[in-house]
Amino acid sequence: MSKDGRSRRKGPSLSARVDRERPIGSFASLKVELSVLIIISTAIAFVMAWFLLKMGWSGWIAMPLTLVVALGITYFFSRGLTAPLRQMRDAAEAMADGDYTVRVHATTTSHDEVGLLAQSFNEMAEELQHADQMRRDMVANVSHELRTPVSALQAMVENMADGVTEPTPANLEGILEQTHRLSDLIAFLLDLSRMEAGAASLQIEDFDFGDFIDETLQPLAIADAGHAHDIQVDLEKGLRMEGDQDRLRQLFTNVISNALKHSADGTTVLIQAHEDRQQETIVTNVVNFGSQIPPEARTDIFRRFVKGKAGPGTESGGTGLGLSIARWAAQLHGGQVQVVDDPRGADFEITLPRYHRDSDEDEGDGDGSGGPDAPH
């Protein structure tokens, strides 16, 4: 039986045991529980001392006996109050050894600080377990993604070296395509390292949004030529914005390429953009018709290493980093990217500020003016 299985079987009994150990653990504050514990112990000690003295016991015997009983009651109740803390200690030691499946079986009725801490600890453990599993999957995914173009390159170059094939433009184009795949994968990994390190320097400049979209689409259209997608662009005229074009190009390239990857050959991908003058933002919608993303999966697809199902014409599910990097780039600019309801299909909505504001301005007077050409 796996450790997961043991944890699942022991969970209910442990939780019930902790419930029994914490008979006063249902209050909303640990201070209240300690106050109740003191009152109960004092009241029992007082009643017991009065009863023993009334029965004619000597005070030298009644008082120590009463003190021992009061301390025993206090120990019993206080041990129950700290039971989740002991479990957290054991769970933290197990997690330090690499076991992220452990959980604190806190009481189901506890609403005090200890109970809330136990719940938060379990949520943290869930995230760590998820991140650990995703990292393991990422190693497998990257290994697969690297092996495919490297094997293809090796075979092509060996055939040319042995004289089996000629270095024709078509063969060289195949080699170039594989090197592009390697370059894209390495770029994803570099972006991941920047995300982990918190590197967020931006080179802010004012630019024409329509020209920016055209430049972003050119390499994507060339790479997509074999799938015959109809990429339609509907932009409000005269759109301009302030931002880091390199980071924004990562954002739009990943979102648009994701739409192309999950669209059947010969279908339409629509890119619409307009300015929300009231909010001073530029809103862009990237829609691939026909497919839909379930509401429960719309948040998970932006998590690192989470891959969507491979769509028609998709050679690989990828590394699961593209949309995570897209969200990161949007957040660097104070914007967001999300999936919104759209009867036409999967609709990725990108909202970006029209004017750049650095963090100092956001924390200061917040006048909404454009920020300087300096990274934040």
Side-chain angles (χ1 to χ4, degrees), residues 197-332:
S201 59
L202 298 176
Q203 300 297 324
I204 304 301
E205 56 184 325
D206 182 85
F207 59 90
D208 184 276
F209 188 75
D211 294 340
F212 166 80
I213 292 295
D214 290 340
E215 294 171 2
T216 302
L217 283 176
Q218 285 179 2
L220 293 176
I222 294 174
D224 187 67
H227 299 290
H229 288 120
D230 180 18
I231 304 177
Q232 298 182 2
V233 180
D234 180 15
L235 305 181
E236 183 179 320
K237 293 183 179 180
L239 287 180
R240 299 191 67 85
M241 71 172 295
E242 296 174 353
D244 186 323
Q245 291 197 61
D246 290 336
R247 291 281 178 244
L248 292 175
R249 187 163 284 111
Q250 286 180 305
L251 164 59
F252 283 91
T253 296
N254 288 335
V255 172
I256 296 172
S257 63
N258 179 78
L260 294 170
K261 180 185 297 184
H262 293 86
S263 299
D265 292 354
T267 58
T268 299
V269 172
L270 174 64
I271 303 171
Q272 293 178 311
H274 68 277
E275 180 180 0
D276 185 338
R277 290 173 174 78
Q278 183 177 2
Q279 300 294 329
E280 292 188 334
T281 59
I282 292 180
V283 181
T284 307
N285 294 86
V286 179
V287 186
N288 57 303
F289 293 86
S291 63
Q292 290 284 356
I293 300 177
E296 62 273 11
R298 293 179 182 179
T299 300
D300 289 341
I301 61 175
F302 290 101
R303 300 177 71 173
R304 300 175 194 176
F305 315 126
V306 175
K307 301 190 299 180
K309 296 181 180 179
T314 303
E315 298 178 3
S316 169
T319 60
L321 293 176
L323 291 179
S324 178
I325 292 172
R327 182 178 62 176
W328 170 65
Q331 291 174 345
L332 285 180

Side-chain angles (χ1 to χ4, degrees), residues 102-124:
V102 292
R103 296 293 182 270
V104 177
H105 301 285
T107 63
T108 56
T109 60
S110 177
H111 303 290
D112 61 9
E113 292 85 351
V114 177
L116 295 178
L117 177 61
Q119 295 174 20
S120 298
F121 185 94
N122 285 338
E123 292 175 1
M124 179 193 69

Side-chain angles (χ1 to χ4, degrees), residues 36-46 66 70-71 73-75 77:
V36 171
L37 176 59
I38 293 173
I39 293 173
I40 292 175
S41 300
T42 303
I44 292 177
F46 177 81
T66 301
L71 289 176
I73 294 173
T74 303
Y75 176 79
F77 282 103

Side-chain angles (χ1 to χ4, degrees), residues 102-166:
V102 292
R103 296 293 182 270
V104 177
H105 301 285
T107 63
T108 56
T109 60
S110 177
H111 303 290
D112 61 9
E113 292 85 351
V114 177
L116 295 178
L117 177 61
Q119 295 174 20
S120 298
F121 185 94
N122 285 338
E123 292 175 1
M124 179 193 69
E126 290 281 355
E127 288 297 323
L128 288 175
Q129 183 181 5
H130 173 79
D132 182 66
Q133 183 60 47
M134 291 300 101
R135 289 178 189 276
R136 294 174 187 270
D137 293 343
M138 184 263 190
V139 172
N141 295 335
V142 170
S143 299
H144 172 74
E145 293 291 323
L146 283 172
R147 182 174 60 237
T148 302
V150 168
S151 299
L153 280 173
Q154 183 178 357
M156 292 177 182
V157 174
E158 284 180 351
N159 289 337
M160 290 184 183
D162 296 338
V164 177
T165 58
E166 297 293 331

